[in-house]
Amino acid sequence: MNEPRTAIYPGSFDPLTLGHEDIARRSLKFVDRLVVAVAHHPTQQKDRLFSAEDRVAIIRECFAAEPRIEVDEFSGLLVDYCRARKARIVIRGLRAVSDFEYEFQMALMNRELWPELEMVFMTPGLEHTFLSASLIREIASLGGDVSEFVSPPVLRRLEETFPD
Ligand code: PNS
């Protein structure tokens, strides 16, 4: 029997948005198993909202009904994590041209570091293309309603973090 095809979906996921969820679920059309990998120290450091442990717990709750999705965390190089997990496919979401430059650079550099790795870029559904974790953080911290943009486990944690 062939080895199950495993892909890594790395990111900050701070917090996980419906756009991330959409990409993860779409990828199951062509991979057998997806590992959503929360980066401890993302390359572009952003203002952090939740700890990596909290993000893992939240994401696990969001994908609780999906047995083919595993949630893990990693630190260090993405290519080293992929090698350790024996996964040669990395999934990244591309929303707009503005994402492209950074993603393109990262893809080529990752390939330099481990030539066997393939990065697969996916577009979320149109209704999710304007979503970003940083906007969700900002809106939630300023008391705005983000219930349309995140799953209930994320919403609950945001409401606990930013009570009215
Ligand atoms: O959701 P993000 O913040 O855009 O995800 C970025 C992430 C985590 C994929 C990127 O920062 C990363 O791969 N970090 C691990 C460190 C690493 O491998 N850096 C070299 C990249 S070429």
PDB file of all heavy atoms in Angstrom, residues 6-8 10 77-84 86-92 106-120:
ATOM      1  N   THR A   6       1.030  13.101   3.359  1.00  0.00           N
ATOM      2  CA  THR A   6       0.871  14.056   4.458  1.00  0.00           C
ATOM      3  C   THR A   6       1.379  15.426   4.027  1.00  0.00           C
ATOM      4  O   THR A   6       2.428  15.531   3.405  1.00  0.00           O
ATOM      5  CB  THR A   6       1.693  13.597   5.693  1.00  0.00           C
ATOM      6  OG1 THR A   6       1.215  12.316   6.094  1.00  0.00           O
ATOM      7  CG2 THR A   6       1.553  14.560   6.856  1.00  0.00           C
ATOM      8  N   ALA A   7       0.635  16.454   4.362  1.00  0.00           N
ATOM      9  CA  ALA A   7       1.083  17.827   4.106  1.00  0.00           C
ATOM     10  C   ALA A   7       1.106  18.596   5.419  1.00  0.00           C
ATOM     11  O   ALA A   7       0.353  18.291   6.354  1.00  0.00           O
ATOM     12  CB  ALA A   7       0.152  18.522   3.115  1.00  0.00           C
ATOM     13  N   ILE A   8       1.994  19.584   5.446  1.00  0.00           N
ATOM     14  CA  ILE A   8       2.088  20.476   6.612  1.00  0.00           C
ATOM     15  C   ILE A   8       1.461  21.816   6.221  1.00  0.00           C
ATOM     16  O   ILE A   8       1.761  22.362   5.151  1.00  0.00           O
ATOM     17  CB  ILE A   8       3.569  20.724   7.004  1.00  0.00           C
ATOM     18  CG1 ILE A   8       4.350  19.416   7.175  1.00  0.00           C
ATOM     19  CG2 ILE A   8       3.651  21.604   8.249  1.00  0.00           C
ATOM     20  CD1 ILE A   8       4.000  18.598   8.364  1.00  0.00           C
ATOM     21  N   PRO A  10       1.700  25.244   7.785  1.00  0.00           N
ATOM     22  CA  PRO A  10       2.316  26.002   8.875  1.00  0.00           C
ATOM     23  C   PRO A  10       1.779  27.429   8.937  1.00  0.00           C
ATOM     24  O   PRO A  10       1.318  27.982   7.945  1.00  0.00           O
ATOM     25  CB  PRO A  10       3.798  26.036   8.445  1.00  0.00           C
ATOM     26  CG  PRO A  10       3.726  26.119   6.949  1.00  0.00           C
ATOM     27  CD  PRO A  10       2.473  25.373   6.528  1.00  0.00           C
ATOM     28  N   LEU A  77      13.403  25.734  12.047  1.00  0.00           N
ATOM     29  CA  LEU A  77      13.120  25.852  10.618  1.00  0.00           C
ATOM     30  C   LEU A  77      11.944  24.966  10.198  1.00  0.00           C
ATOM     31  O   LEU A  77      11.849  23.802  10.618  1.00  0.00           O
ATOM     32  CB  LEU A  77      14.349  25.449   9.798  1.00  0.00           C
ATOM     33  CG  LEU A  77      15.504  26.440   9.730  1.00  0.00           C
ATOM     34  CD1 LEU A  77      16.655  25.838   8.932  1.00  0.00           C
ATOM     35  CD2 LEU A  77      15.056  27.754   9.106  1.00  0.00           C
ATOM     36  N   LEU A  78      11.135  25.517   9.324  1.00  0.00           N
ATOM     37  CA  LEU A  78      10.008  24.746   8.790  1.00  0.00           C
ATOM     38  C   LEU A  78      10.498  23.491   8.058  1.00  0.00           C
ATOM     39  O   LEU A  78       9.927  22.408   8.215  1.00  0.00           O
ATOM     40  CB  LEU A  78       9.201  25.637   7.837  1.00  0.00           C
ATOM     41  CG  LEU A  78       8.056  24.975   7.093  1.00  0.00           C
ATOM     42  CD1 LEU A  78       7.007  24.448   8.061  1.00  0.00           C
ATOM     43  CD2 LEU A  78       7.429  25.946   6.101  1.00  0.00           C
ATOM     44  N   VAL A  79      11.580  23.636   7.282  1.00  0.00           N
ATOM     45  CA  VAL A  79      12.068  22.466   6.522  1.00  0.00           C
ATOM     46  C   VAL A  79      12.514  21.344   7.464  1.00  0.00           C
ATOM     47  O   VAL A  79      12.318  20.167   7.165  1.00  0.00           O
ATOM     48  CB  VAL A  79      13.214  22.829   5.542  1.00  0.00           C
ATOM     49  CG1 VAL A  79      12.707  23.634   4.369  1.00  0.00           C
ATOM     50  CG2 VAL A  79      14.355  23.510   6.238  1.00  0.00           C
ATOM     51  N   ASP A  80      13.095  21.697   8.597  1.00  0.00           N
ATOM     52  CA  ASP A  80      13.529  20.663   9.554  1.00  0.00           C
ATOM     53  C   ASP A  80      12.318  19.948  10.145  1.00  0.00           C
ATOM     54  O   ASP A  80      12.318  18.732  10.345  1.00  0.00           O
ATOM     55  CB  ASP A  80      14.367  21.284  10.683  1.00  0.00           C
ATOM     56  CG  ASP A  80      15.735  21.724  10.189  1.00  0.00           C
ATOM     57  OD1 ASP A  80      16.155  21.228   9.120  1.00  0.00           O
ATOM     58  OD2 ASP A  80      16.367  22.559  10.857  1.00  0.00           O
ATOM     59  N   TYR A  81      11.289  20.744  10.419  1.00  0.00           N
ATOM     60  CA  TYR A  81      10.054  20.136  10.951  1.00  0.00           C
ATOM     61  C   TYR A  81       9.438  19.191   9.906  1.00  0.00           C
ATOM     62  O   TYR A  81       9.035  18.068  10.229  1.00  0.00           O
ATOM     63  CB  TYR A  81       9.075  21.240  11.358  1.00  0.00           C
ATOM     64  CG  TYR A  81       7.759  20.698  11.847  1.00  0.00           C
ATOM     65  CD1 TYR A  81       7.655  20.090  13.094  1.00  0.00           C
ATOM     66  CD2 TYR A  81       6.616  20.762  11.047  1.00  0.00           C
ATOM     67  CE1 TYR A  81       6.451  19.555  13.539  1.00  0.00           C
ATOM     68  CE2 TYR A  81       5.417  20.243  11.484  1.00  0.00           C
ATOM     69  CZ  TYR A  81       5.342  19.641  12.720  1.00  0.00           C
ATOM     70  OH  TYR A  81       4.141  19.107  13.151  1.00  0.00           O
ATOM     71  N   CYS A  82       9.397  19.643   8.659  1.00  0.00           N
ATOM     72  CA  CYS A  82       8.815  18.809   7.590  1.00  0.00           C
ATOM     73  C   CYS A  82       9.593  17.509   7.438  1.00  0.00           C
ATOM     74  O   CYS A  82       9.007  16.428   7.314  1.00  0.00           O
ATOM     75  CB  CYS A  82       8.811  19.553   6.259  1.00  0.00           C
ATOM     76  SG  CYS A  82       7.704  20.957   6.248  1.00  0.00           S
ATOM     77  N   ARG A  83      10.904  17.629   7.463  1.00  0.00           N
ATOM     78  CA  ARG A  83      11.743  16.430   7.339  1.00  0.00           C
ATOM     79  C   ARG A  83      11.460  15.458   8.475  1.00  0.00           C
ATOM     80  O   ARG A  83      11.307  14.261   8.269  1.00  0.00           O
ATOM     81  CB  ARG A  83      13.215  16.826   7.368  1.00  0.00           C
ATOM     82  CG  ARG A  83      13.931  16.524   6.075  1.00  0.00           C
ATOM     83  CD  ARG A  83      15.407  16.727   6.230  1.00  0.00           C
ATOM     84  NE  ARG A  83      15.718  18.143   6.421  1.00  0.00           N
ATOM     85  CZ  ARG A  83      16.574  18.823   5.672  1.00  0.00           C
ATOM     86  NH1 ARG A  83      17.191  18.240   4.699  1.00  0.00           N
ATOM     87  NH2 ARG A  83      16.816  20.096   5.890  1.00  0.00           N
ATOM     88  N   ALA A  84      11.381  16.024   9.699  1.00  0.00           N
ATOM     89  CA  ALA A  84      11.136  15.176  10.873  1.00  0.00           C
ATOM     90  C   ALA A  84       9.781  14.481  10.774  1.00  0.00           C
ATOM     91  O   ALA A  84       9.621  13.344  11.232  1.00  0.00           O
ATOM     92  CB  ALA A  84      11.209  16.026  12.148  1.00  0.00           C
ATOM     93  N   LYS A  86       8.426  13.677   7.973  1.00  0.00           N
ATOM     94  CA  LYS A  86       8.418  12.955   6.690  1.00  0.00           C
ATOM     95  C   LYS A  86       7.323  13.475   5.755  1.00  0.00           C
ATOM     96  O   LYS A  86       6.594  12.706   5.121  1.00  0.00           O
ATOM     97  CB  LYS A  86       8.259  11.448   6.912  1.00  0.00           C
ATOM     98  CG  LYS A  86       9.410  10.816   7.680  1.00  0.00           C
ATOM     99  CD  LYS A  86       9.254   9.316   7.697  1.00  0.00           C
ATOM    100  CE  LYS A  86      10.407   8.558   8.283  1.00  0.00           C
ATOM    101  NZ  LYS A  86      11.295   9.216   9.226  1.00  0.00           N
ATOM    102  N   ALA A  87       7.194  14.785   5.714  1.00  0.00           N
ATOM    103  CA  ALA A  87       6.175  15.415   4.863  1.00  0.00           C
ATOM    104  C   ALA A  87       6.889  16.291   3.842  1.00  0.00           C
ATOM    105  O   ALA A  87       7.722  17.117   4.213  1.00  0.00           O
ATOM    106  CB  ALA A  87       5.230  16.252   5.706  1.00  0.00           C
ATOM    107  N   ARG A  88       6.565  16.101   2.576  1.00  0.00           N
ATOM    108  CA  ARG A  88       7.251  16.857   1.521  1.00  0.00           C
ATOM    109  C   ARG A  88       6.339  17.898   0.877  1.00  0.00           C
ATOM    110  O   ARG A  88       6.672  18.467  -0.154  1.00  0.00           O
ATOM    111  CB  ARG A  88       7.729  15.895   0.427  1.00  0.00           C
ATOM    112  CG  ARG A  88       8.897  15.062   0.863  1.00  0.00           C
ATOM    113  CD  ARG A  88       8.980  13.803   0.025  1.00  0.00           C
ATOM    114  NE  ARG A  88       9.630  12.752   0.773  1.00  0.00           N
ATOM    115  CZ  ARG A  88      10.903  12.432   0.648  1.00  0.00           C
ATOM    116  NH1 ARG A  88      11.652  13.055  -0.206  1.00  0.00           N
ATOM    117  NH2 ARG A  88      11.415  11.491   1.393  1.00  0.00           N
ATOM    118  N   ILE A  89       5.175  18.089   1.437  1.00  0.00           N
ATOM    119  CA  ILE A  89       4.251  19.086   0.876  1.00  0.00           C
ATOM    120  C   ILE A  89       3.923  20.111   1.968  1.00  0.00           C
ATOM    121  O   ILE A  89       3.573  19.736   3.086  1.00  0.00           O
ATOM    122  CB  ILE A  89       2.929  18.438   0.415  1.00  0.00           C
ATOM    123  CG1 ILE A  89       3.203  17.321  -0.593  1.00  0.00           C
ATOM    124  CG2 ILE A  89       1.992  19.490  -0.181  1.00  0.00           C
ATOM    125  CD1 ILE A  89       1.962  16.516  -0.936  1.00  0.00           C
ATOM    126  N   VAL A  90       4.052  21.382   1.602  1.00  0.00           N
ATOM    127  CA  VAL A  90       3.654  22.459   2.518  1.00  0.00           C
ATOM    128  C   VAL A  90       2.532  23.236   1.851  1.00  0.00           C
ATOM    129  O   VAL A  90       2.623  23.603   0.677  1.00  0.00           O
ATOM    130  CB  VAL A  90       4.845  23.398   2.828  1.00  0.00           C
ATOM    131  CG1 VAL A  90       4.368  24.694   3.456  1.00  0.00           C
ATOM    132  CG2 VAL A  90       5.826  22.703   3.760  1.00  0.00           C
ATOM    133  N   ILE A  91       1.484  23.459   2.583  1.00  0.00           N
ATOM    134  CA  ILE A  91       0.338  24.222   2.076  1.00  0.00           C
ATOM    135  C   ILE A  91       0.428  25.653   2.610  1.00  0.00           C
ATOM    136  O   ILE A  91       0.682  25.854   3.799  1.00  0.00           O
ATOM    137  CB  ILE A  91      -1.000  23.622   2.608  1.00  0.00           C
ATOM    138  CG1 ILE A  91      -1.109  22.125   2.321  1.00  0.00           C
ATOM    139  CG2 ILE A  91      -2.197  24.423   2.102  1.00  0.00           C
ATOM    140  CD1 ILE A  91      -1.461  21.769   0.932  1.00  0.00           C
ATOM    141  N   ARG A  92       0.206  26.615   1.738  1.00  0.00           N
ATOM    142  CA  ARG A  92       0.080  28.009   2.172  1.00  0.00           C
ATOM    143  C   ARG A  92      -1.096  28.630   1.454  1.00  0.00           C
ATOM    144  O   ARG A  92      -1.376  28.308   0.299  1.00  0.00           O
ATOM    145  CB  ARG A  92       1.354  28.798   1.834  1.00  0.00           C
ATOM    146  CG  ARG A  92       2.571  28.419   2.649  1.00  0.00           C
ATOM    147  CD  ARG A  92       2.535  28.924   4.073  1.00  0.00           C
ATOM    148  NE  ARG A  92       2.735  30.370   4.164  1.00  0.00           N
ATOM    149  CZ  ARG A  92       2.574  31.051   5.293  1.00  0.00           C
ATOM    150  NH1 ARG A  92       2.179  30.462   6.409  1.00  0.00           N
ATOM    151  NH2 ARG A  92       2.789  32.360   5.310  1.00  0.00           N
ATOM    152  N   MET A 106       9.828  32.985   0.322  1.00  0.00           N
ATOM    153  CA  MET A 106       9.920  31.914   1.317  1.00  0.00           C
ATOM    154  C   MET A 106       9.932  30.544   0.626  1.00  0.00           C
ATOM    155  O   MET A 106      10.679  29.642   1.022  1.00  0.00           O
ATOM    156  CB  MET A 106       8.720  32.025   2.275  1.00  0.00           C
ATOM    157  CG  MET A 106       9.019  31.472   3.627  1.00  0.00           C
ATOM    158  SD  MET A 106       7.831  32.043   4.861  1.00  0.00           S
ATOM    159  CE  MET A 106       6.288  31.508   4.220  1.00  0.00           C
ATOM    160  N   ALA A 107       9.120  30.392  -0.419  1.00  0.00           N
ATOM    161  CA  ALA A 107       9.053  29.107  -1.123  1.00  0.00           C
ATOM    162  C   ALA A 107      10.407  28.779  -1.750  1.00  0.00           C
ATOM    163  O   ALA A 107      10.895  27.645  -1.636  1.00  0.00           O
ATOM    164  CB  ALA A 107       7.971  29.162  -2.199  1.00  0.00           C
ATOM    165  N   LEU A 108      11.013  29.774  -2.393  1.00  0.00           N
ATOM    166  CA  LEU A 108      12.292  29.514  -3.059  1.00  0.00           C
ATOM    167  C   LEU A 108      13.387  29.230  -2.033  1.00  0.00           C
ATOM    168  O   LEU A 108      14.233  28.358  -2.245  1.00  0.00           O
ATOM    169  CB  LEU A 108      12.672  30.695  -3.962  1.00  0.00           C
ATOM    170  CG  LEU A 108      11.776  30.856  -5.189  1.00  0.00           C
ATOM    171  CD1 LEU A 108      12.177  32.094  -5.977  1.00  0.00           C
ATOM    172  CD2 LEU A 108      11.828  29.624  -6.080  1.00  0.00           C
ATOM    173  N   MET A 109      13.361  29.954  -0.925  1.00  0.00           N
ATOM    174  CA  MET A 109      14.364  29.720   0.111  1.00  0.00           C
ATOM    175  C   MET A 109      14.171  28.335   0.735  1.00  0.00           C
ATOM    176  O   MET A 109      15.144  27.592   0.939  1.00  0.00           O
ATOM    177  CB  MET A 109      14.268  30.817   1.184  1.00  0.00           C
ATOM    178  CG  MET A 109      15.280  30.655   2.294  1.00  0.00           C
ATOM    179  SD  MET A 109      16.975  30.538   1.673  1.00  0.00           S
ATOM    180  CE  MET A 109      17.413  32.258   1.579  1.00  0.00           C
ATOM    181  N   ASN A 110      12.938  27.966   1.007  1.00  0.00           N
ATOM    182  CA  ASN A 110      12.695  26.632   1.571  1.00  0.00           C
ATOM    183  C   ASN A 110      13.172  25.542   0.609  1.00  0.00           C
ATOM    184  O   ASN A 110      13.702  24.519   1.028  1.00  0.00           O
ATOM    185  CB  ASN A 110      11.205  26.444   1.892  1.00  0.00           C
ATOM    186  CG  ASN A 110      10.825  27.092   3.208  1.00  0.00           C
ATOM    187  OD1 ASN A 110      11.644  27.179   4.131  1.00  0.00           O
ATOM    188  ND2 ASN A 110       9.594  27.569   3.306  1.00  0.00           N
ATOM    189  N   ARG A 111      12.987  25.794  -0.671  1.00  0.00           N
ATOM    190  CA  ARG A 111      13.432  24.797  -1.657  1.00  0.00           C
ATOM    191  C   ARG A 111      14.957  24.699  -1.687  1.00  0.00           C
ATOM    192  O   ARG A 111      15.523  23.626  -1.885  1.00  0.00           O
ATOM    193  CB  ARG A 111      12.891  25.139  -3.035  1.00  0.00           C
ATOM    194  CG  ARG A 111      13.242  24.066  -4.044  1.00  0.00           C
ATOM    195  CD  ARG A 111      12.785  24.433  -5.422  1.00  0.00           C
ATOM    196  NE  ARG A 111      11.354  24.263  -5.581  1.00  0.00           N
ATOM    197  CZ  ARG A 111      10.644  24.861  -6.543  1.00  0.00           C
ATOM    198  NH1 ARG A 111      11.242  25.666  -7.388  1.00  0.00           N
ATOM    199  NH2 ARG A 111       9.369  24.646  -6.644  1.00  0.00           N
ATOM    200  N   GLU A 112      15.615  25.855  -1.480  1.00  0.00           N
ATOM    201  CA  GLU A 112      17.080  25.819  -1.389  1.00  0.00           C
ATOM    202  C   GLU A 112      17.502  24.964  -0.200  1.00  0.00           C
ATOM    203  O   GLU A 112      18.460  24.218  -0.257  1.00  0.00           O
ATOM    204  CB  GLU A 112      17.635  27.243  -1.181  1.00  0.00           C
ATOM    205  CG  GLU A 112      17.697  28.091  -2.415  1.00  0.00           C
ATOM    206  CD  GLU A 112      18.617  27.509  -3.466  1.00  0.00           C
ATOM    207  OE1 GLU A 112      19.803  27.237  -3.178  1.00  0.00           O
ATOM    208  OE2 GLU A 112      18.124  27.318  -4.590  1.00  0.00           O
ATOM    209  N   LEU A 113      16.766  25.138   0.906  1.00  0.00           N
ATOM    210  CA  LEU A 113      17.134  24.444   2.142  1.00  0.00           C
ATOM    211  C   LEU A 113      16.832  22.951   2.066  1.00  0.00           C
ATOM    212  O   LEU A 113      17.513  22.134   2.664  1.00  0.00           O
ATOM    213  CB  LEU A 113      16.392  25.069   3.338  1.00  0.00           C
ATOM    214  CG  LEU A 113      16.752  26.526   3.645  1.00  0.00           C
ATOM    215  CD1 LEU A 113      15.825  27.101   4.705  1.00  0.00           C
ATOM    216  CD2 LEU A 113      18.202  26.636   4.100  1.00  0.00           C
ATOM    217  N   TRP A 114      15.755  22.619   1.349  1.00  0.00           N
ATOM    218  CA  TRP A 114      15.406  21.190   1.201  1.00  0.00           C
ATOM    219  C   TRP A 114      14.734  20.998  -0.164  1.00  0.00           C
ATOM    220  O   TRP A 114      13.519  21.200  -0.298  1.00  0.00           O
ATOM    221  CB  TRP A 114      14.466  20.724   2.331  1.00  0.00           C
ATOM    222  CG  TRP A 114      14.289  19.239   2.328  1.00  0.00           C
ATOM    223  CD1 TRP A 114      15.187  18.298   1.911  1.00  0.00           C
ATOM    224  CD2 TRP A 114      13.129  18.498   2.755  1.00  0.00           C
ATOM    225  NE1 TRP A 114      14.671  17.036   2.063  1.00  0.00           N
ATOM    226  CE2 TRP A 114      13.422  17.125   2.575  1.00  0.00           C
ATOM    227  CE3 TRP A 114      11.894  18.856   3.272  1.00  0.00           C
ATOM    228  CZ2 TRP A 114      12.510  16.118   2.899  1.00  0.00           C
ATOM    229  CZ3 TRP A 114      10.987  17.873   3.589  1.00  0.00           C
ATOM    230  CH2 TRP A 114      11.299  16.510   3.413  1.00  0.00           C
ATOM    231  N   PRO A 115      15.508  20.614  -1.158  1.00  0.00           N
ATOM    232  CA  PRO A 115      14.983  20.557  -2.530  1.00  0.00           C
ATOM    233  C   PRO A 115      13.807  19.594  -2.712  1.00  0.00           C
ATOM    234  O   PRO A 115      13.072  19.714  -3.698  1.00  0.00           O
ATOM    235  CB  PRO A 115      16.205  20.107  -3.357  1.00  0.00           C
ATOM    236  CG  PRO A 115      17.383  20.529  -2.546  1.00  0.00           C
ATOM    237  CD  PRO A 115      16.963  20.383  -1.118  1.00  0.00           C
ATOM    238  N   GLU A 116      13.636  18.669  -1.813  1.00  0.00           N
ATOM    239  CA  GLU A 116      12.522  17.716  -1.997  1.00  0.00           C
ATOM    240  C   GLU A 116      11.166  18.287  -1.589  1.00  0.00           C
ATOM    241  O   GLU A 116      10.128  17.665  -1.807  1.00  0.00           O
ATOM    242  CB  GLU A 116      12.792  16.445  -1.188  1.00  0.00           C
ATOM    243  CG  GLU A 116      13.835  15.580  -1.849  1.00  0.00           C
ATOM    244  CD  GLU A 116      14.200  14.394  -1.004  1.00  0.00           C
ATOM    245  OE1 GLU A 116      13.288  13.674  -0.574  1.00  0.00           O
ATOM    246  OE2 GLU A 116      15.405  14.213  -0.763  1.00  0.00           O
ATOM    247  N   LEU A 117      11.195  19.462  -0.968  1.00  0.00           N
ATOM    248  CA  LEU A 117       9.943  20.055  -0.483  1.00  0.00           C
ATOM    249  C   LEU A 117       9.181  20.759  -1.607  1.00  0.00           C
ATOM    250  O   LEU A 117       9.785  21.451  -2.410  1.00  0.00           O
ATOM    251  CB  LEU A 117      10.274  21.082   0.601  1.00  0.00           C
ATOM    252  CG  LEU A 117       9.095  21.620   1.397  1.00  0.00           C
ATOM    253  CD1 LEU A 117       8.575  20.549   2.347  1.00  0.00           C
ATOM    254  CD2 LEU A 117       9.514  22.847   2.193  1.00  0.00           C
ATOM    255  N   GLU A 118       7.880  20.561  -1.663  1.00  0.00           N
ATOM    256  CA  GLU A 118       7.046  21.317  -2.604  1.00  0.00           C
ATOM    257  C   GLU A 118       6.073  22.179  -1.815  1.00  0.00           C
ATOM    258  O   GLU A 118       5.411  21.691  -0.893  1.00  0.00           O
ATOM    259  CB  GLU A 118       6.240  20.380  -3.521  1.00  0.00           C
ATOM    260  CG  GLU A 118       7.083  19.642  -4.542  1.00  0.00           C
ATOM    261  CD  GLU A 118       7.860  20.541  -5.507  1.00  0.00           C
ATOM    262  OE1 GLU A 118       7.471  21.701  -5.714  1.00  0.00           O
ATOM    263  OE2 GLU A 118       8.880  20.063  -6.034  1.00  0.00           O
ATOM    264  N   MET A 119       6.001  23.446  -2.182  1.00  0.00           N
ATOM    265  CA  MET A 119       5.029  24.338  -1.545  1.00  0.00           C
ATOM    266  C   MET A 119       3.808  24.411  -2.455  1.00  0.00           C
ATOM    267  O   MET A 119       3.945  24.640  -3.653  1.00  0.00           O
ATOM    268  CB  MET A 119       5.597  25.752  -1.393  1.00  0.00           C
ATOM    269  CG  MET A 119       6.973  25.860  -0.784  1.00  0.00           C
ATOM    270  SD  MET A 119       6.996  25.987   1.008  1.00  0.00           S
ATOM    271  CE  MET A 119       6.138  27.503   1.330  1.00  0.00           C
ATOM    272  N   VAL A 120       2.644  24.239  -1.901  1.00  0.00           N
ATOM    273  CA  VAL A 120       1.405  24.304  -2.684  1.00  0.00           C
ATOM    274  C   VAL A 120       0.602  25.505  -2.190  1.00  0.00           C
ATOM    275  O   VAL A 120       0.315  25.613  -0.990  1.00  0.00           O
ATOM    276  CB  VAL A 120       0.580  23.004  -2.507  1.00  0.00           C
ATOM    277  CG1 VAL A 120      -0.752  23.120  -3.234  1.00  0.00           C
ATOM    278  CG2 VAL A 120       1.367  21.806  -3.024  1.00  0.00           C
TER     279      VAL A 120
END
